Amino acid sequence: MRDLGRRLAKLLRAGDLVMLSGELGAGKTTLTRGLGEGLGVRGAVTSPTFVIARVHPSLGDGPPLVHVDAYRLSGGLDEMEDLDLDVSLPESVVVVEWGEGKVEELTDDRLQVVIHRAVGDTTDEVRHVTLTGVGDRWSDTDASVLSA
Ligand SMILES: Nc1ncnc2c1ncn2[C@@H]1O[C@H](COP(=O)(O)OP(=O)(O)O)[C@@H](O)[C@H]1O
Ligand SMILES: [Mg+2]
């Protein structure tokens, strides 16, 4: 998942919203860690206990990574609005865990990443990932870098 994140970072630019779905432990934060490495941002991406959103500035001239864990957000729009994601999105890559039903209104375009871990399979740590681009932004994306 981390390696996939590194590769996925090559496709991302400022203004992109990435929504990550999958059960607890699926690898959403691990993928985001790879995204942070691929984007070349400062600070380790972690699972924040109290922090809902963390900004990782670029170490170069790329966009910052805004990592949101919406798990504790009730879905109330005002709580979401307090994060000012609409303000950060144009110049950032915004990655949201557990964002379904909470952040879609931020933009017409988004990349949805759904992570499946095989149920009942304790020895195999393979994940199955489905990426779905929503909106014009993703209509002619060449995803071949992902399988490199
Ligand atoms: N292929 C894999 N991809 C992602 N995580 C894995 C994988 N194999 C094992 N793991 C472990 O599963 C856990 C995933 O946790 P995390 O990324 O925090 O998930 P989430 O953010 O979806 O709750 C980590 O402890 C990680 O080490
Ligand atoms: Mg997480």
Side-chain angles (χ1 to χ4, degrees), residues 1-12 18 20 28-41 45 65 93-95 113:
M1 290 305 297
R2 192 167 168 182
D3 190 44
L4 177 63
R6 284 196 203 107
R7 284 180 265 159
L8 180 57
K10 293 179 194 150
L11 295 177
L12 299 177
V18 180
L20 305 181
K28 301 180 293 298
T29 301
T30 305
L31 177 81
T32 310
R33 188 166 301 147
L35 279 177
E37 291 167 359
L39 290 170
V41 299
V45 170
L65 170 68
V93 170
V94 176
V95 177
V113 180

Side-chain angles (χ1 to χ4, degrees), residues 1 22-31 47 97 117 125-127:
M1 290 305 297
E23 64 189 72
L24 200 66
K28 301 180 293 298
T29 301
T30 305
L31 177 81
S47 266
E97 301 186 38
R117 188 169 64 176
E125 292 287 5
V126 168
R127 266 66 169 169

Side-chain angles (χ1 to χ4, degrees), residues 22-88:
E23 64 189 72
L24 200 66
K28 301 180 293 298
T29 301
T30 305
L31 177 81
T32 310
R33 188 166 301 147
L35 279 177
E37 291 167 359
L39 290 170
V41 299
R42 195 171 73 208
V45 170
T46 56
S47 266
T49 309
F50 299 109
V51 183
I52 290 168
R54 185 171 283 151
V55 181
H56 298 269
S58 175
L59 292 167
D61 54 8
L65 170 68
V66 178
H67 176 212
V68 182
D69 193 332
Y71 184 63
R72 278 167 211 81
L73 292 181
S74 60
L77 215 65
D78 43 335
E79 250 186 312
M80 220 52 224
E81 272 166 16
D82 284 346
L83 296 178
D84 282 336
L85 291 178
D86 51 334
V87 177
S88 356

